[in-house]
Amino acid sequence: MNAPSKPLVSVYIPTRNRSALLRRAVDSVLAQDYPEIEVLICDEASTDDTSDVVAGYIGRYPGKFTYLRNETPQGACRARNRCIEHAVGTYVTGLDDDDLFHPQRISCLVDIYRRHSPSFACSRFKYFQAPAQIASLLERRYGDAELGRVDTLTLPALLYANLAGNQVLTELSRMRELGGFDESMPSWQDYDMWVRLVHRYGTAVRTRPMLSFVDDDRSRARIRNSSKRAEGSDRFIAKHAGLMTTDQQRNHRNIQYVMNRQRPPLREIARNISFGGYKSTVKVLLHKFFGVSIG
């Protein structure tokens, strides 16, 4: 960081009954090479030892943690918004309780945000099913030149697919101005939020190094493996139809086929061929003719 001061970054973490995974997620935040961080944890009525785990962190790191608890589950989206309501940082970013940050993630995103003044900053991300799969990536240390290389994420590109992943860094005031995450959506609240940020504040930037890791353990239920994902996709298309081209809407119908592992009639695939989102068209064709499911 070349700036003389380091603004506070608020990190929100929703959690429910996954104390062991929560420790792993929190430890990845504490391992950041960026010092000015506050951690806000919203507990969704956990019945395990989550409260004791958080109390341990609060005792060891006084002033760094805020613990919020919902006595009845209200959903991860509401939990994120509660954290945002209580945050005091200049910037805000999030972490799901089963995911991980690379140690350089926050310092990198703050740096590229301050240099490029985008709507938000994010990084490339990688799915994993076992920690051993990402061990070498977590240990890798990037130089300033590598961290400084960015790609731009425009609104048209983002309306084809969620290129930002499930977490970004932006100004806390912007998240509040937009009303936080849309709690009426059963899924895709993150994608919806990123589109609203870019639509309101302009192009985003994404650094090229892999700095975020998403646990894809299929033995645990996650929204992306449930029917809520398809419903969220429908609502996303309806909500942003006025911004989307016909080609982008066709691409999202193909994304729905891929998500639902459907094999639509060939005439339907032909009707929904998307040139800007050709990858989704290819995935549908692979599943249709060869039974290969990707994504």
Side-chain angles (χ1 to χ4, degrees), residues 251 253-259 261-275 277-294:
N251 182 61
R253 282 192 284 273
N254 285 333
I255 289 174
Q256 289 180 320
Y257 290 140
V258 173
M259 284 192 308
R261 300 293 190 260
Q262 292 177 302
R263 293 183 174 184
L266 191 57
R267 64 179 179 277
E268 186 68 13
I269 296 175
R271 184 181 300 122
N272 288 319
I273 287 176
S274 170
F275 297 101
Y278 69 92
K279 291 181 181 178
S280 295
T281 302
V282 170
K283 289 178 182 179
V284 172
L285 289 169
L286 286 172
H287 187 58
K288 169 72 174 178
F289 293 106
F290 301 105
V292 177
S293 297
I294 302 174

Side-chain angles (χ1 to χ4, degrees), residues 6 9 14 35 45 79 90-91 94 124 131 176-177 186 207 215 239 256 260 268 278 283:
K6 292 179 172 60
V9 175
T90 299
Y91 300 113
R124 291 175 61 215
R176 288 176 173 167
E177 184 176 337
T207 189
D215 193 326
K239 184 173 182 177
Q256 289 180 320
N260 297 328
E268 186 68 13
Y278 69 92
K283 289 178 182 179

Side-chain angles (χ1 to χ4, degrees), residues 11-15 18 20-29 32 80 94-102 105 125-129 134 138 165-167 190 211-217 220 222 224:
V11 180
Y12 57 81
I13 306 177
T15 191
R18 298 203 287 203
L21 291 170
L22 176 64
R23 285 192 191 94
R24 188 179 70 178
V26 170
D27 287 346
S28 80
V29 177
Q32 294 296 298
R80 295 184 188 105
L95 181 63
D96 287 345
D97 62 1
D98 54 350
D99 296 339
L100 294 163
F101 283 167
H102 184 280
R105 181 180 187 272
F125 58 94
K126 182 177 180 61
Y127 289 110
F128 71 97
Q129 295 183 354
I134 59 170
L138 280 169
N166 65 352
Q167 308 294 349
D190 50 357
L211 302 179
S212 182
F213 304 95
V214 180
D215 193 326
D216 196 33
D217 185 344
R220 297 196 306 274
R222 288 191 66 142
R224 63 174 169 272

Side-chain angles (χ1 to χ4, degrees), residues 164-183:
N166 65 352
Q167 308 294 349
V168 308
L169 180 140
T170 190
E171 294 172 49
L172 177 61
S173 60
R174 291 182 173 182
M175 293 282 272
R176 288 176 173 167
E177 184 176 337
L178 292 174
F181 293 94
D182 185 346
E183 297 176 26

Side-chain angles (χ1 to χ4, degrees), residues 229-240:
R229 193 179 178 202
E231 184 182 350
S233 172
D234 285 334
R235 292 198 188 186
F236 177 90
I237 295 171
K239 184 173 182 177
H240 298 292

